Amino acid sequence: MEYLPGGETGGAGAWSPTASAPAVADEDWGEALDELDALGLADYQALMDEVATVLGEMHGQDGRGLPAEELGRGLEGAALSLGRASLGPDEVVTVQDEELTGALEAVGRLQTRLGALGFRLAQQAAARGLHQESGMTLVDWLRVRCPWLSSRDAAQVMSVVTASEAPAVAQIGEAVASGDVPLHRAATVARTMTRLQESLDPEQQESYTRIATAAAGRPEVSDKDLSTVCHRLLEDLLHEKAPGERERAAIALRGVSSRKVAPGLTRFTIDAPDGAAATLSGVLTSQLAAPAPDEATQEPDPRTATQRRFDALLAVVNRGISRPGAPPSTARATVILTIPFDPERGLPSGPATTADGGYVPPRQASEVACSAELTPVWMAADGEPLALGHKARYATPSQWLALVARDKGCSYPGCSALPQWCDSHHVDWWSRGGETDVSRMALLCGRHHTVVHQHDLSASVDGGTVTWHV
């Protein structure tokens, strides 16, 4: 740039870019700074505008750098700003009520914007298939890359990303990326639209999504009210269908969902088509659910009606899963509890756990053990099940259960597949002379079993730990 003295070409105090800026000697810098200091406010602002314009032309984006540069700088600046805003315990007590409330509201807005950016990045990562390159689901990939992200939050991201792939439903993803709708509320809409997808044409999908997204973006609509809106969409759909279409839609909408109500209690919600509903109703109204007075004391049954219905349903489930001695192929339909035992005392040495890490109190575990398939797995001091080697191609039921107790699910790094969906893989391949022994096997889900064989991956088993060399 070259400063043009008053009025010659650019007017008093004007700055103008030139093809090449003349070199300025060190002794001339003092004079240049004096001229800068002598500028009035309007002239100084004009100078800054000219600088911004030239820099914008250099970058080609109105003064902004490349997207990756701006992303990195923006996040770095946000981190620095949050560092300035952090307060210690002794400092936060000095903040006045009004300022404290305002700060909390500001944090909420920041969380929404940060969540929107995180979703946009995750959506792009999914579009590029970054998770597929490592043979993972999007949920597992996000959990590995963002360890602070809960499984529930990662699942919500995947729900919205998956639903938004349909052009008619893409607006819910756009609402999250723009910060108009929080992720957890968008996930409620996304799951609803995914269920409705097979029963709606594209125009209906877009209309239903617009209604639900608008409700999700309104702060005065509570999470409970939003769920009600989504349920009403399901109900309206079935009422609008002709009888034959209604039956097909109901079958497409079947499902079971669950959520933790409180520690020790899980709520299951079942949406059953009429035929299946009749079967469940038959169980819930059968003799299994009738009051049963105590035979010894003749005292009335203390259970409530809902408790009796639960016990009736569980009795039928337990009958279905009680398959002692079943081969590995049917072990996936059994309840698997790992109960550590003390060999010297012959008693459990700790709480029982389910295959997915849930806690089961000792008394309840004893009750399940009476009706479901349960094989005690003796654990060594280092956590490794005792070797149950067998000169056969496939793992025995006891060996498979021992692998479940050790690996807790797919042993591939970052995978969260439950053991029910895993196979027993020979670390030393069977075709290469490997033996069927617990110490030389590992659980792998179907996807990663394929990955291991495709890439000829190896693993080492040290005590109770399987390490894959990827």
Side-chain angles (χ1 to χ4, degrees), residues 182-386:
L183 176 63
H184 72 281
R185 290 164 68 87
T188 300
V189 176
R191 286 191 292 265
T192 299
M193 297 313 303
T194 298
R195 293 184 63 190
L196 292 173
Q197 189 172 10
E198 295 182 9
S199 305
L200 298 174
D201 58 43
E203 185 176 349
Q204 290 175 314
Q205 290 182 43
E206 186 174 358
S207 176
Y208 275 50
T209 304
R210 183 170 59 254
I211 294 172
T213 302
R218 294 170 57 186
E220 65 272 18
V221 177
S222 66
D223 289 352
K224 182 178 180 180
D225 291 339
L226 178 61
S227 297
T228 300
V229 170
C230 291
H231 282 301
R232 284 296 303 272
L233 293 177
L234 298 177
E235 295 170 4
D236 291 346
L237 171 65
L238 292 177
H239 283 300
E240 292 173 359
K241 294 288 185 181
E245 295 178 345
R246 185 180 305 163
E247 181 179 354
R248 290 190 291 273
I251 293 175
L253 294 173
R254 71 190 185 280
V256 178
S257 59
S258 65
R259 69 179 181 88
K260 276 286 186 182
V261 177
L265 187 65
T266 301
R267 175 171 295 162
F268 289 86
T269 302
I270 303 175
D271 291 330
D274 288 342
T279 301
L280 292 173
S281 297
V283 172
L284 300 178
T285 58
S286 68
Q287 189 63 30
L288 290 171
D294 188 289
E295 295 183 359
T297 64
Q298 293 303 309
E299 291 290 331
D301 192 333
R303 299 175 299 168
T304 65
T306 56
Q307 289 172 338
R308 295 197 308 271
R309 288 194 289 269
F310 174 85
D311 292 343
L313 182 60
L314 192 62
V316 173
V317 172
N318 283 336
R319 289 178 184 177
I321 64 177
S322 182
R323 298 174 62 88
S329 61
T330 58
R332 300 179 183 189
T334 64
V335 173
I336 302 170
L337 288 180
T338 300
I339 306 178
F341 271 78
D342 182 345
E344 296 182 359
R345 295 187 303 156
L347 297 172
S349 60
T353 55
T354 62
D356 58 356
Y359 167 79
V360 179
R363 179 172 297 182
Q364 293 185 26
S366 299
E367 294 175 358
V368 174
C370 294
S371 57
E373 177 180 353
L374 182 70
T375 301
V377 180
W378 296 89
M379 308 294 289
D382 60 358
E384 181 182 13
L386 298 177

